[in-house]
Amino acid sequence: METESLRELYIEELKDLYSAEKQLVRALPKMAKNATNPQLQEAFTNHLAETEGHVARLEEIFESLESSPRGKKCVGMEGLIEEANELLEEHDEEDVLDAGLISKAQHVEHYEMAGYGTVRSWAQILGEAHHAELLQQTLEEEENADKLLTQIAESAVNIEAETGDDDEEEEEKPVKSSRGGQRASYGGSSRKKASR
Ligand SMILES: [Fe+2]
């Protein structure tokens, strides 16, 4: 009984992720086009190819469930993409826009990571070992995409956005953080600002 309802919830969540990934496939080319940092542009383009792979993995799972992935709209992803579009309309200073795009993309990655972590665990409980494996692969790609965005932000984009000058020498190397959210670099730059 309980497993039945968890299975239903599992399928609903998978449909939600499918909708999220499909929306992202449509949104990423615009983000890549608007990014000016070449590393960031490449990261978006590569993640588009990965995202198509995420769609394919979900389709494989639905095939094995003999069910359709369609019929649900992920409003969470819709909102995150809407925020990215607002950013593009409101900012046109290139370095600042890059920093903003990274932030929006990291919100997307964390949202997906939460979803994939959940369905991966549910797949294990439901005895769907192969699904769990596929979902884990996608989860790891989302985590790597997130880490790469942190790296790009901390090595160049945040600094350029703050100085407003691409050629200026870096005065202070930001501390590397192991996960997303760029916490370490916020600490670094606020210390820099404190010395008026
Ligand atoms: Fe994805």
Side-chain angles (χ1 to χ4, degrees):
M1 207 65 138
E2 266 185 6
T3 309
E4 274 300 305
S5 68
L6 182 63
R7 183 168 283 275
E8 279 169 20
L9 201 58
Y10 172 62
I11 292 171
E12 285 302 296
E13 187 70 31
L14 288 173
K15 284 186 179 185
D16 201 68
L17 280 164
Y18 184 75
S19 162
E21 297 285 19
K22 294 284 273 189
Q23 291 182 58
L24 195 56
V25 165
R26 287 194 298 270
L28 274 168
K30 189 173 173 184
M31 292 176 79
K33 201 180 127 205
N34 282 281
T36 47
N37 179 291
Q39 245 190 308
L40 180 59
Q41 207 166 51
E42 195 189 337
F44 284 150
T45 306
N46 289 344
H47 197 57
L48 172 61
E50 276 181 342
T51 301
E52 285 163 348
H54 302 169
V55 170
R57 282 192 193 117
L58 289 169
E59 283 169 347
E60 187 184 334
I61 288 173
F62 275 97
E63 247 168 64
S64 89
L65 290 166
E66 294 179 350
S67 173
S68 165
R70 292 171 207 285
K72 202 168 189 297
K73 178 152 202 176
C74 177
V75 290
M77 182 61 83
E78 191 181 29
L80 292 171
I81 291 171
E82 178 57 32
E83 284 192 15
N85 284 329
E86 277 174 19
L87 175 95
L88 291 174
E89 283 164 23
E90 288 163 11
H91 297 273
D92 49 17
E93 210 285 305
E94 290 180 351
D95 297 329
V96 173
L97 190 59
D98 276 356
L101 281 172
I102 290 177
S103 164
K104 297 304 172 197
Q106 287 196 291
H107 278 75
V108 165
E109 290 313 316
H110 281 248
Y111 183 80
E112 292 191 292
M113 280 151 58
Y116 278 108
T118 299
V119 287
R120 186 267 336 265
S121 298
W122 287 352
Q124 287 165 343
I125 292 171
L126 293 166
E128 299 284 6
H130 183 55
H131 295 189
E133 219 173 278
L134 292 170
L135 296 166
Q136 178 65 28
Q137 284 169 18
T138 296
L139 177 60
E140 283 168 17
E141 286 174 8
E142 309 291 18
E143 284 170 350
N144 289 337
D146 176 59
K147 279 180 198 156
L148 179 64
L149 288 169
T150 297
Q151 230 174 58
I152 295 170
E154 291 185 347
S155 64
V157 170
N158 283 353
I159 295 158
E160 284 159 11
E162 195 188 22
T163 58
D165 183 356
D166 300 40
D167 305 322
E168 192 161 313
E169 286 284 308
E170 291 175 30
E171 288 169 21
E172 188 180 344
K173 276 261 185 287
V175 186
K176 278 252 161 66
S177 68
S178 58
R179 288 188 71 86
Q182 305 172 30
R183 266 157 286 165
S185 100
Y186 284 151
S189 56
S190 68
R191 210 174 29 250
K192 199 163 141 191
K193 271 198 184 124
S195 60
R196 282 174 270 174

